Structure formats: C-alpha cells, structure tokens
Amino acid sequence: MAPPRSKKRKPSFRRLLKTSGAKLENKRRNRQFKQQSTAKKHRKEQRKLRHALKDASARVPAPLERYGKRPGDEDEEEFEESLPVDMLEEDDLEEMRALAQKASFLTRNLSSCEPVHARKRKSDGTVETYEKTPRKMQAEPEKEIIHLLPIKDKTGIIRQTMEKPGAESSTRPGRDASLCVAIAVGSVCFEQDIEMMSSLSPEEQQQLRGQKLQERKLRIAGLASAILADPVSSMKKLKELRSILMETDPSVAVTVRKLVMISLMEVFKDIVPSYRIRPLTEEEKATKVKKETQQLREFEEGLVSQYKFYLENLEQTVKDWKQKKRKKSETVALQAYKGLAEVAVRCLCELMVALPHFNFHNNILVLVGPLMDDPCSVVSDMCCDYVKKLLKQDKMGQASLGMVKVISGLVKNRNYVVRPEVLKCLLCLRIKEVEVKKDSEDVAPKKKFMTFKEKKKNLSRMQRKWKKAEEKLEKELLEAEASESKEKKLKLHTETLNIVFLIYFRILKKAQKSALLPAVLEGLAKFAHLINLEFFDDLLNVLHNLIESEDLTYRESLHCIQTSFSVLSGQGDVLNIDPLKFYTHLYKMLLQLHAGVPNDDMGIVLQCLDVMLAKRRKQVSLQRALAFLKRLSTLALHVLPDSAVGLLASCRTLMHTFPRCDTLLDNEAQGSGVYLPELDEPEYCNPQNTALWELHTVLRHYHPVVRTFAAHLIAGAPSEGSGALGMELSRRLPVDLFQDYSTKDMMFNPPVVTLAPKKKVVLKSCNTSPPRSFQWTRRTRLSVLHGCLLSSWCSGPLHQSTVFGHRLEGAD
C-alpha cells in the first residue's frame, strides 16, 4: 500500500504574493503603532499637567461674596438685635456661630445640582498634589510590539505579535548614570586643577608640570617593561597603558599622549607574532584544548583587540586634526592637534613597514595612502618615504599590490591632481620579471599525482590508503614550511605591474599636460621592458607626438627617448621598427647640455646612449655612430668634469663598438662634402670629413681623469699597452663614472694635490715679442678654457695648442 500523501501543499505563487503583501501590511502597522504610541504618550503628559494645574488652583480658597446693603436691611438688623438671645441655650448658640463661620451655605452656587457635601466627600479620598506629579524613575517605558507574519487556521487569520527585545535598554540607565558621574567627576577635577594652577606663579606651574610629567613617564615605562617581560599574561597592563591615551590633565595631556603612542608602537612591534591571527571557528571554540593552548588563544584574541583599538585611536586623532574638531572637554587645544596627528601618522607608518604580515595591514594602507597627498608637507613627505621603504623591502609582493591599488584609487578619485612624489614612489617596486603569455602546452597543468582510476587499477587497497596518507602529509609539510612559490610571486608581480601601467596609460591619455607626466615617463622608462607587445606601436606613437609637441621640458623629452628604446630593447627586438626619429631628437638635444642645471640630466643621457648605440649596434649605421662620436667630443668641452668623464667614456665605448670610427683621428677627409655641425640629421651631416680636434684641447683640462681619458682616446683607445686605461677606469660604465666624480657636494674628486711654486708664464705672439708677462693662476686657466669654448666650432684642429693666435709656454 502506498504511503499517504502529505496534506501540506507547496505554496503557490499567488500565495507567496499574498505573504509579501502581509509583510508590507505588518511594516505599515508597525509604523502606525509607533506613531500612535508617541501621540498617546504626549496626550498622557498633557493630561497629567492639566490635572496638576487644576489641583493647585483648587487649593486656593475662594473669597466670600459681599453684597451691598439693600433698603430695609437696617430694619432687619434692628429686628435681630431685638430678638431674645437669652431664650437660646448656649450649645445651640455656639453651633449657629460655627455654621456662620463656615458660610458654605452662603457661598455655594445655587444653580448647580451638586449636593452640599459632595465636594467634601470627594476630596476626602484624594492624595496630595505632589503625589500626582509624574516621576521619571517610576514610569516604565511602554514595550514596543513587532507584528509578525499571520497564521491561518480554521477560524481565520490569527495575527501574531511579540515584544521587541530590550536587552540594551535594561543596561542603558546604569551606563548612563555611570557616564554622568564620570563626566561630573572629571569636570570637577578639571575645574579644581584650573583653580589650583591659576593660583600658582609661572615657576611653580612649570615645576608642578615637570613633576606630573615625570610621574607619567615612570608609569608608562613600568607598564611597557612589564608587558615586554611577559606578554602572554599582561593583557590587562596593555589595556591600562592604552587607557593613558585619554589623559585629561591639560598641563601634560599632549606630551603624555605622544609618549603613549610611541610606547605602544614599540611594544606592538616587539610582541606581535610573525604570523597572521585568524578568528576561531565555532568548532574550534567548542573543542577542549590544553591549558597552554587556551592561554595562547586568549593572548592572541586580546592582542588583536587591543591592536585594533590602538589603530582606531590613531585614526581618530588624524581625523580630528583634518576636520579641526574641538572636543567638549577641551583638554587638548586645537593648535596642539597637529603635533599629535604627526606622531599618530608616524606610528601608523612604522607599523605599516614593520608589520606587513599582521592583521589590519590593509586598513593601515588605506589610512596612509591619502596622506601621501596631504597639503601638510611634513606629513606627505613622511608618508612617501615610508611607502618607498615598504616597496623596497617587500619581497613577496602582497604589500606592494595593496599599496599600488590604494595609489591607483587615489589618483583616479582626485582626477589626476596629486603630488608627483606619489607616483615616484612606484619607482621603488621590486619587479624584475612577470608572467608572459605561454603556449597551450606550457599552460596545461602537469600531472603530479595519480588519478583515482589509475590508483584503482595499479594499486591495491592498502597501497591506495598509504598513498592518500602520503599526499596529505606532503600538503601539510608545504603549509608548515610557509614558503611562497615562484608562481604565486610572479602572479602578484604581474597584477601589480598591470595596475601600474593602467595608472600611467590613463595619465598619458587624459592628463598629458599635468605635473604627473615626468613621473609617468620616468616610470615607463624603468618598466618599459615588461610591457606587453600589443601596446608597443601605440606607445611609440604617443611618445613621438609628445616630443614633437614641444610642451615637454628637457628632462621629460629625455625620459620619452629612454622609454622608447627600453621598449625596443626588451621584447621589441622581434619587431621591425627603425626609431630614426628618436635618434634625431637626441642628437639635436645634446647641445642643450651645459655646466648649469642640465648637468643633472647627464645620467639619463648616458643611459640613452648606452641603449641606443651600444646595445643596438647591429641596427646603427656607421654614419650615425660617427656623428654621435663627434657631437659627444664637442659636448665634453663645456660641461663639468663629472659629465666630461662620462661623455669621454661613452666615446671610448663607441670606438670599441664601431672600430672604423678611428678615421676621425686622422686629418684626411674621406668622401665628398663638408662637415655640417649645425645640421640636426646625424645621417646627413658628413661626419667622416672632420676630426676629433677637441681631444687635443681636453688634453689640457684641469681635471686629471679627463686628461687621462683624452690621452687614451687620442692613442686609439687601446685595450692594452702604454695608452691603455687602468683597471679602475676601464671596467666602469659611463654612468658609474659620472656618479663617482660627481661635484654635487662641491668637492673636487680626486683631491687637489699641493703643487710646487708657480712658474711665470710668458704669453708670446706668434711673430712678435711677448707684450707682457703674467702669473699662471686659476683665472688665467679659466680664460684659456673660455677661449677653447669659443673656438670649439672650428672645423680644423688647434695647431700647436694656440688660442687667439698665441702660444702657451711652460703651462704644465
């Protein structure tokens, strides 16, 4: 026999619609009930107030009515006086007199139907008026009712209600009372301190403040030492130390709060474990564990909660400063919030760098990110420095990814109006390789373990059991090792770099004239070799258009050139692109360098020369190499010594890369045409018809390393022999030599050697006797160099080292 069918039916769609309508009806009734209860309370209070006023007015006795005398009253008075009073007994006479004094029968309103003694009987059962006044402590709040879903039975629809849970309302009066007491006590103490401080002299006030501050310092130091000695059992002391952040004494409040912030920061840096603490599940809480494990769990839970409260206090301090919010207690003046906020920001930055693995690290990144673009230069510079430090020391890439996401959101939300230093922080990313798109064979996962069918076919039941236990053990060992795999690291770096390029391309597309363009071009120059091949053509066109627009500065144009060749030197080798226009731009821009401010850009120029000529030697023609070699030797005449050393080192690299460049060391012209130094096209300026006469002038340079390089190049840049360079110079790159001999510190490198007594130098004319003799001094050396600069555009070499038709003698 089949089982009986269930009488319950699935609710139809129409019934579900009715149910949703019932929900809406319940919400409407709840709203109406709240409005009615509020109105009812108001009417009840008004009614009690009217009753109280009515009772107060009833207590005032009404005055007796007085009537004027009517004609004939005198006869009545005479008649009353003539009555024989002695005929009445004394008891009757006293009763009549008492009735006359009450006079209720005379003052009663005769038009009312109320009996004479009705009011008296009614007032006998009444209570005093002060009992009728409402008392807040005795009045119980009406319970709120929540309407639930209705139930339907045979009788019809039954509406359900329940009281709203009021667990919080039961505890609120006590907390409110304690809070009021605490505020009252604090205000009283605050007023007493102010009165006491105002009664003291300035010297006594300063002495009293020093004593209070010393007491607070000793207390902070004692608590911090106790916490560091035994962190597991010192959570109460950690909480007590954090409570000192709410110091209320106005004379020492600012200093004490700063000390507590820094002390807590150092304490957390010491006691925080080297792993992330996760919340326990319900199953883990229900299981019984050892006493030590339970103690460790309590320590971790307390540590996370106290760390969270501490971060919230720091965040609130920064927000109060940003919003210029004045506290009600006015313990800390509004002007002092800036100093507190700077200390709070410093603590946040220190924790961000020191604890990148611990809880709430992403929250700290979200707090510090917008402060990198703060109007206050102290705060913004501090945040940028700590972010650079974080990116430099991050090896795995998790913290870098979070920081890059924050910066991307910041730049986009502020419509690309941020400080350039924000984007310059991205240059500190430690990204050297990313995931490249592979073939389908490489992407396919390799079989590491046997499948279930293979195990069932090839292994016995016991062997399968052992195999399963072995695989489980291997997974646990990998988790215990806690080592990040290379694939995960590459994945994080790839995602980070994609966000970085997204920031750069947005600015190139939407904000080409913003102040962020130099930082964008510098970042593209660093990470250009990691860009996907799909963007190469568009990126090169954008960079060329930026240079052609002539809206860029000299440094920005150099970054554009460096970026384009960085792109072509990496994955762009497979592309058949001839960047002749970028060679022309650099050749034209070289002569804009001089010994002033552009000398700082020499490092970028040397990097561009290395990428354009040395690393792309197969794509560079001989004419182009000769033109650059001549232009660099000319440029070495009017730059600082460090730049001259770097340029001559680049000339040496060119002569080694292109051996046929030694034709410029001869005076014989090859081919037709005349060298055109003013032409901006390196391919058509006829560089083979000139000579490197500048090297003879540089031979008399005052810097010894410049003279050494000039002599080496004149000898043909040999790798060995008498004209070869030493090991300390030959193995150094041009950029490294430029940095080694830098003059930023206004120091001469190498140090100046003390010379023998100066010789007299006679300036003789070529055909006549010398006009006068003069002392060979630094000024004369500079004048001679100035003459060399003026004659640098001559096409022939300086014969016999003459300047302005004169010959130098004895100028060693």
Side-chain angles (χ1 to χ4, degrees):
M1 185 175 177
R5 291 184 59 185
S6 177
K7 294 183 179 180
K8 293 184 179 179
R9 295 181 181 179
K10 294 182 179 179
S12 62
F13 182 70
R14 188 177 300 277
R15 186 175 294 277
L16 290 176
L17 285 179
K18 288 183 179 179
T19 305
S20 61
K23 288 183 179 180
L24 294 176
E25 183 67 20
N26 286 339
K27 288 184 179 180
R28 186 181 63 80
R29 288 181 179 176
N30 284 334
R31 195 180 304 112
Q32 291 179 356
F33 177 76
K34 289 182 181 179
Q35 295 176 357
Q36 291 174 2
S37 62
T38 305
K40 186 177 180 182
K41 289 180 182 178
H42 182 69
R43 289 196 302 269
K44 191 174 181 180
E45 291 177 357
Q46 294 293 329
R47 192 182 305 115
K48 290 180 180 180
L49 182 60
R50 286 196 299 270
H51 284 307
L53 292 175
K54 185 177 180 181
D55 293 339
S57 61
R59 291 179 61 186
V60 180
L64 296 176
E65 297 181 4
R66 297 184 181 274
Y67 301 94
K69 293 184 179 181
R70 291 179 296 180
D73 287 348
E74 296 178 356
D75 300 337
E76 291 181 359
E77 289 179 358
E78 293 177 357
F79 175 74
E80 290 176 357
E81 292 177 356
S82 62
L83 286 176
V85 183
D86 53 351
M87 295 175 63
L88 297 175
E89 295 181 359
E90 292 181 0
D91 297 336
D92 298 336
L93 184 61
E94 290 178 0
E95 186 176 357
M96 290 181 65
R97 287 175 181 174
L99 291 174
Q101 288 179 359
K102 292 182 179 179
S104 58
F105 63 96
L106 294 177
T107 58
R108 187 168 65 91
N109 188 4
L110 300 177
S111 62
S112 64
C113 59
E114 185 180 1
V116 179
H117 302 288
R119 183 174 297 178
K120 183 176 180 181
R121 290 197 301 268
K122 184 177 180 180
S123 61
D124 290 341
T126 59
V127 295
E128 296 294 335
T129 55
Y130 62 82
E131 292 291 345
K132 292 184 177 182
T133 56
R135 293 182 177 84
K136 293 183 179 180
M137 298 299 294
Q138 294 180 356
E140 296 182 358
E142 296 185 2
K143 298 179 181 180
E144 297 185 9
I145 299 175
I146 300 176
H147 292 274
L148 304 178
L149 290 175
I151 299 174
K152 186 176 181 181
D153 59 358
K154 296 180 180 180
T155 59
I157 296 176
I158 301 174
R159 303 192 179 277
Q160 296 187 106
T161 58
M162 66 172 291
E163 295 182 4
K164 189 174 182 180
E168 296 180 0
S169 62
S170 61
T171 59
R172 184 175 297 174
R175 278 189 286 175
D176 293 344
S178 61
L179 182 61
C180 295
V181 172
I183 293 174
V185 172
S187 60
V188 171
C189 295
F190 180 68
E191 293 175 358
Q192 291 178 356
D193 291 342
I194 292 178
E195 293 177 358
M196 185 180 65
M197 294 292 288
S198 60
S199 62
L200 299 177
S201 62
E203 292 81 4
E204 293 175 347
Q205 292 179 5
Q206 189 67 22
Q207 186 177 2
L208 181 61
R209 181 182 181 277
Q211 293 177 0
K212 292 181 179 179
L213 193 58
Q214 188 65 24
E215 293 176 0
R216 304 299 196 281
K217 287 181 179 179
L218 292 175
R219 184 185 176 193
I220 294 170
L223 290 173
S225 301
I227 295 169
L228 295 177
D230 189 8
V232 178
S233 59
S234 301
M235 281 298 102
K236 292 184 178 180
K237 295 181 180 179
L238 182 61
K239 185 177 181 181
E240 183 181 355
L241 180 59
R242 189 180 59 82
S243 65
I244 307 179
L245 277 173
M246 300 294 106
E247 177 64 42
T248 56
D249 192 347
S251 60
V252 294
V254 178
T255 307
V256 170
R257 291 186 183 186
K258 290 180 180 179
L259 293 174
V260 175
M261 286 180 186
I262 298 175
S263 302
L264 282 171
M265 175 195 70
E266 296 296 336
V267 167
F268 281 120
K269 286 167 64 175
D270 288 338
I271 67 175
V272 161
S274 60
Y275 54 87
R276 187 181 184 88
I277 299 175
R278 63 173 180 83
L280 298 176
T281 61
E282 295 296 333
E283 296 180 358
E284 292 174 345
K285 291 180 180 179
T287 56
K288 294 183 179 180
V289 294
K290 296 181 181 179
K291 184 179 179 180
E292 293 79 5
T293 307
Q294 184 64 27
Q295 190 176 7
L296 180 61
R297 286 182 177 181
E298 293 176 356
F299 163 71
E300 290 177 348
E301 185 179 357
L303 178 63
V304 171
S305 62
Q306 294 301 320
Y307 186 63
K308 178 184 177 182
F309 293 147
Y310 172 61
L311 293 179
E312 289 176 351
N313 288 334
L314 297 180
E315 179 187 7
Q316 191 61 41
T317 303
V318 177
K319 285 184 177 179
D320 291 343
W321 169 60
K322 297 295 292 181
Q323 298 173 0
K324 294 181 173 55
K325 186 184 294 184
R326 185 187 294 274
K327 296 294 183 181
K328 294 181 179 179
S329 61
E330 296 185 358
T331 304
V332 179
L334 194 61
Q335 294 79 9
Y337 266 107
K338 182 179 179 181
L340 279 174
E342 291 178 1
V343 176
V345 172
R346 180 190 169 192
C347 294
L348 287 171
C349 294
E350 286 282 352
L351 294 173
M352 176 186 67
V353 176
L355 305 176
H357 61 279
F358 197 58
N359 302 48
F360 310 112
H361 188 259
N362 290 333
N363 303 73
I364 299 177
L365 294 180
V366 173
L367 285 176
V368 175
L371 295 176
M372 297 169 64
D373 191 43
D374 195 79
C376 181
S377 59
V378 177
V379 175
S380 59
D381 293 342
M382 184 194 307
C383 293
C384 290
D385 293 340
Y386 276 100
V387 169
K388 290 178 181 178
K389 190 176 179 181
L390 173 68
L391 298 180
K392 286 179 181 179
Q393 74 177 21
D394 184 28
K395 296 181 180 179
M396 303 301 22
Q398 190 69 38
S400 300
L401 178 60
M403 194 70 244
V404 169
K405 287 182 179 179
V406 172
I407 292 177
S408 175
L410 176 68
V411 174
K412 185 178 179 181
N413 293 335
R414 301 196 177 181
N415 199 17
Y416 312 105
V417 184
V418 296
R419 301 171 71 240
E421 287 75 10
V422 177
L423 291 187
K424 288 183 180 179
C425 295
L426 300 177
L427 299 176
C428 300
L429 287 169
R430 298 180 58 176
I431 299 178
K432 296 183 179 179
E433 56 180 350
V434 294
E435 286 182 346
V436 184
K437 290 185 178 180
K438 301 179 181 180
D439 299 334
S440 58
E441 298 178 358
D442 298 334
V443 175
K446 298 180 181 180
K447 292 183 178 180
K448 186 176 181 181
F449 300 107
M450 297 174 65
T451 61
F452 178 75
K453 291 185 178 180
E454 292 176 351
K455 290 179 182 179
K456 191 174 182 180
K457 183 178 179 181
N458 300 326
L459 301 177
S460 64
R461 183 177 180 182
M462 186 59 67
Q463 288 175 341
R464 290 198 301 269
K465 187 175 180 181
W466 280 101
K467 192 73 175 177
K468 184 177 180 181
E470 184 180 353
E471 291 177 359
K472 184 178 180 181
L473 181 60
E474 288 180 0
K475 291 181 181 180
E476 291 179 355
L477 289 175
L478 287 175
E479 292 177 358
E481 189 179 0
S483 60
E484 298 293 337
S485 61
K486 187 177 180 181
E487 290 79 8
K488 185 176 180 180
K489 182 178 178 181
L490 285 177
K491 186 177 180 180
L492 289 174
H493 284 181
T494 304
E495 188 177 355
T496 303
L497 201 62
N498 288 338
I499 299 176
V500 171
F501 284 139
L502 180 63
I503 298 172
Y504 290 162
F505 292 157
R506 278 176 178 169
I507 296 174
L508 284 176
K509 183 179 179 181
K510 299 181 180 180
Q512 292 185 356
K513 295 185 179 180
S514 68
L516 302 177
L517 190 60
V520 170
L521 296 174
E522 191 173 355
L524 286 174
K526 181 175 181 180
F527 303 114
H529 61 286
L530 302 173
I531 300 178
N532 199 345
L533 286 171
E534 300 173 357
F535 306 107
F536 280 7
D537 195 13
D538 296 336
L539 182 59
L540 291 177
N541 291 332
V542 169
L543 295 176
H544 177 64
N545 294 334
L546 286 174
I547 299 176
E548 289 290 338
S549 64
E550 297 183 356
D551 294 333
L552 305 181
T553 61
Y554 185 78
R555 191 180 186 90
E556 294 171 1
S557 301
L558 287 178
H559 281 310
C560 285
I561 298 172
Q562 185 183 7
T563 302
S564 60
F565 282 97
S566 298
V567 168
L568 295 176
S569 64
Q571 304 177 42
D573 289 339
V574 299
L575 301 177
N576 189 14
I577 299 176
D578 185 17
L580 179 61
K581 48 192 175 183
F582 292 104
Y583 282 99
T584 304
H585 287 310
L586 183 62
Y587 185 78
K588 180 173 60 176
M589 293 166 57
L590 281 177
L591 290 178
Q592 298 180 21
L593 289 170
H594 52 77
V597 177
N599 186 73
D600 299 335
D601 301 330
M602 183 58 68
I604 306 175
V605 173
L606 296 176
Q607 293 176 9
C608 292
L609 292 172
D610 181 57
V611 176
M612 296 168 65
L613 300 175
K615 293 183 179 180
R616 294 177 57 86
R617 60 175 65 91
K618 295 181 180 180
Q619 289 85 10
V620 178
S621 63
L622 180 61
Q623 295 291 326
R624 198 180 300 174
L626 291 173
F628 272 96
L629 183 59
K630 177 64 179 176
R631 182 61 57 95
L632 293 179
S633 60
T634 304
L635 184 61
L637 293 174
H638 57 274
V639 292
L640 292 179
D642 51 355
S643 300
V645 171
L647 291 173
L648 293 178
S650 298
C651 293
R652 176 178 180 270
T653 304
L654 278 177
M655 294 182 72
H656 285 177
T657 307
F658 303 94
R660 294 180 61 185
C661 288
D662 59 353
T663 56
L664 295 180
L665 299 176
D666 299 332
N667 289 333
E668 297 179 2
Q670 298 180 1
S672 61
V674 181
Y675 174 60
L676 302 174
E678 71 279 358
L679 192 64
D680 293 335
E681 295 292 337
E683 298 283 350
Y684 308 108
C685 64
N686 300 321
Q688 72 279 0
N689 295 326
T690 185
L692 298 179
W693 58 266
E694 295 90 355
L695 298 178
H696 292 276
T697 305
V698 179
L699 272 177
R700 299 181 178 275
H701 200 279
Y702 64 89
H703 199 280
V705 181
V706 178
R707 293 198 301 267
T708 303
F709 267 100
H712 173 69
L713 293 176
I714 289 175
S719 300
E720 57 185 8
S722 59
L725 290 176
M727 299 294 290
E728 67 278 0
L729 296 178
S730 61
R731 294 190 176 184
R732 304 283 289 174
L733 295 175
V735 180
D736 298 335
L737 290 171
F738 168 71
Q739 295 175 356
D740 292 343
Y741 296 98
S742 176
T743 58
K744 286 185 177 180
D745 299 333
M746 302 302 292
M747 297 291 293
F748 191 80
N749 187 16
V752 180
V753 181
T754 305
L755 301 177
K758 299 176 182 178
K759 297 181 180 180
K760 292 185 178 181
V761 181
V762 180
L763 183 64
K764 297 182 179 180
S765 179
C766 295
N767 300 321
T768 59
S769 58
R772 61 186 181 88
S773 61
F774 64 97
Q775 190 76 14
W776 181 262
T777 60
R778 183 181 179 185
R779 182 174 296 177
T780 56
R781 287 177 182 271
L782 294 176
S783 62
V784 170
L785 289 175
H786 182 65
C788 295
L789 297 180
L790 294 177
S791 61
S792 62
W793 290 102
C794 300
S795 60
L798 284 176
H799 299 289
Q800 299 178 358
S801 301
T802 59
V803 179
F804 298 111
H806 293 80
R807 182 172 66 256
L808 294 176
E809 295 181 357
D812 294 332

